Amino acid sequence: MGGEYTEETYGGVTALVGTRRGAYPYANSLLVQGADATLVVDPSLSLTAGAPPADLVLVSHAHEDHIAGLGRYDVPVHVHQGDLAALRSREVMVAAFGLPAEAADATDRMLRDEFHVTGRPDALGFTDGTVIDLGGRTVTVVHLPGHTPGHSGFLIEPDGFLFVADIDLTSFGPFYGDAGSDLTEFEASMRKCAEIDARWYGTAHQKGVIEGASEFRRRLTEFAGVIERRETALLAFLAEPRTLPEIAEHRFVYRPHVAGPHVEPVERRTAAQHLARLTARGLVTETEPGLYRTA
């Protein structure tokens, strides 16, 4: 499996738009050129056939669709400290998905065979606010956790280009269903993005590059609204007492036709986070151990 990319230019930033507009299993990458060095952000599956040369690679987070082209680069690779162990080891990456043993083994094979993930033990860690100076152009790390612990965006100046990675504005909505994901952190990261004034906002998947802060904020509000819709639907479902397995089976994240061993664990972890929050707010009560209903 591989793909091709097309180039779109935004000042000194080139968006390497993946196959099918970067829809999974593909993703959108960036090429950022300065007077002294060039870097690539998130070398995706679409770069496996012919990756542009670079002096270093930045990874927004340790998910397979963002690193499938990493094998094309024998240069320094950097990721946030929160995702460093997962980028260094495919075993750690798979464990972060929180899958049952059999599914984890199948996922490990998929990452190896379809996404060319081998682990990068030489990967280096950055932190929020780290600045990479390329010569006349800087890239500043913006830590945006929630999707993964280390999920990060990159603000590129003087172009005013903010890459927001998997805060991707798709109709699917925010994903916070991995073992290391966090709903509260995801919401805080979206608020952080909204406070950054940029000329362009680059997403890792189908929505591509959005021009203008007002348009980005409008779309971000719609994206965040998926969380509220999930909670509203969950509260309605809990008009009758339900167990967590029943809630997971009902599905508040994936559509009914979506199949795979990841579905149940993601639905369960997503529901558990919402239940904890709704219970703390007094909107849901645990009528007996493991049984929930609206208060």
Side-chain angles (χ1 to χ4, degrees):
M1 182 166 60
E4 298 178 347
Y5 64 86
T6 57
E7 296 186 1
E8 296 179 358
T9 303
Y10 302 90
V13 180
T14 303
L16 310 178
V17 182
T19 304
R20 292 170 41 215
R21 298 294 299 174
Y24 186 90
Y26 303 100
N28 301 323
S29 309
L30 296 182
L31 180 68
V32 187
Q33 295 175 298
D36 302 327
T38 299
L39 65 77
V40 162
V41 174
D42 284 4
S44 73
L45 202 56
S46 294
L47 272 61
T48 54
D55 300 298
L56 71 155
V57 174
L58 300 184
V59 175
S60 66
H61 64 292
H63 275 169
E64 70 279 3
D65 48 322
H66 297 260
I67 62 168
L70 197 52
R72 304 282 298 189
Y73 291 99
D74 186 19
V75 299
V77 177
H78 302 254
V79 70
H80 190 277
Q81 291 280 2
D83 279 17
L84 184 56
L87 187 60
R88 286 178 170 175
S89 164
R90 189 176 69 227
E91 182 180 7
V92 174
M93 185 184 298
V94 171
F97 296 144
L99 300 171
E102 185 175 329
D105 289 342
T107 299
D108 183 70
R109 291 191 295 272
M110 179 189 73
L111 264 57
R112 180 194 66 199
D113 298 341
E114 298 180 26
F115 290 91
H116 321 293
V117 177
T118 58
R120 285 295 292 251
D122 60 326
L124 303 168
F126 53 61
T127 57
D128 185 43
T130 295
V131 179
I132 297 100
D133 190 345
L134 303 175
R137 183 161 283 110
T138 59
V139 181
T140 302
V141 173
V142 183
H143 188 209
L144 301 170
H147 182 60
T148 69
H151 183 271
S152 295
F154 304 105
L155 179 61
I156 303 159
E157 298 287 13
D159 310 280
F161 190 108
L162 178 63
F163 183 69
V164 294
D166 273 1
I167 299 180
D168 57 21
L169 311 180
T170 58
S171 59
F172 179 84
F175 180 93
Y176 40 92
D178 283 355
S181 299
D182 188 281
L183 167 57
T184 301
E185 288 188 343
F186 204 123
E187 290 180 317
S189 292
M190 288 189 290
R191 291 193 296 270
K192 188 174 182 178
C193 286
E195 293 169 357
I196 297 175
D197 287 315
R199 181 177 179 183
W200 294 294
Y201 299 80
T203 68
H205 294 291
Q206 296 99 306
K207 299 304 178 181
V209 177
I210 311 302
E211 183 168 6
S214 60
E215 177 63 14
F216 172 72
R217 287 167 185 148
R218 184 188 69 79
R219 295 194 188 202
L220 185 63
T221 298
E222 290 180 355
F223 181 68
V226 174
I227 295 173
E228 185 178 346
R229 290 201 296 275
R230 288 171 184 161
E231 288 203 337
T232 300
L234 177 57
L235 284 168
F237 187 62
L238 294 178
E240 297 179 15
R242 312 281 187 178
T243 64
L244 186 55
E246 287 174 330
I247 296 168
E249 185 179 1
H250 188 72
R251 295 202 181 188
F252 292 90
V253 179
Y254 292 107
R255 294 177 179 175
H257 71 275
V258 177
H262 63 290
V263 171
E264 192 276 337
V266 167
E267 292 283 353
R268 179 167 35 82
R269 277 190 293 269
T270 300
Q273 292 181 77
H274 283 283
L275 284 172
R277 182 157 77 176
L278 293 168
T279 300
R281 291 175 179 172
L283 298 174
V284 166
T285 184
E286 195 172 4
T287 57
E288 56 184 85
L291 198 63
Y292 302 89
R293 70 170 302 161
T294 49

